[in-house]
Amino acid sequence: MKAPNLALYHFDSCPYCERVRSALRRLDVELELRNVQTEPKWREELVAATGKQMVPCLRIEAGGKARWMHESADIIRYLETEVAPRG
């Protein structure tokens, strides 16, 4: 399932980011991955919006406004309850 209103700020070697990416695969959710190590513009956007470089961070776009969610467990719970296809 594509989730065009979501973007995950992450980097490859972060174990908490990998937990979220694993959940995305398990839940069959596709969203934009924004690597803050390889693309400085994503890191700058993350810091400007949240005041910190902490990843993973899920950007949720709704009603023209962005909401930012840190903490892998919170992100996974959000994906499972609000985004994942229901059987």
Side-chain angles (χ1 to χ4, degrees), residues 24-42:
L24 289 169
R25 290 187 296 272
R26 176 176 52 83
L27 297 168
D28 194 28
V29 173
E30 293 179 42
L31 52 75
E32 184 177 359
L33 296 176
R34 297 181 175 179
N35 191 319
V36 300
Q37 280 187 324
T38 60
E39 289 291 335
K41 68 180 179 180
W42 298 137

Side-chain angles (χ1 to χ4, degrees), residues 33-61:
L33 296 176
R34 297 181 175 179
N35 191 319
V36 300
Q37 280 187 324
T38 60
E39 289 291 335
K41 68 180 179 180
W42 298 137
R43 182 178 53 254
E44 291 165 10
E45 184 175 281
L46 176 64
V47 172
T50 68
K52 49 191 166 184
Q53 295 186 54
M54 188 171 108
V55 292
C57 184
L58 184 66
R59 182 180 190 272
I60 305 162
E61 182 79 31

Side-chain angles (χ1 to χ4, degrees), residues 66-82:
R67 186 172 123 211
W68 299 82
M69 181 180 296
H70 288 282
E71 300 297 335
S72 59
D74 293 340
I75 295 169
I76 292 168
R77 189 172 18 263
Y78 176 82
L79 294 170
E80 289 172 338
T81 60
E82 303 295 327

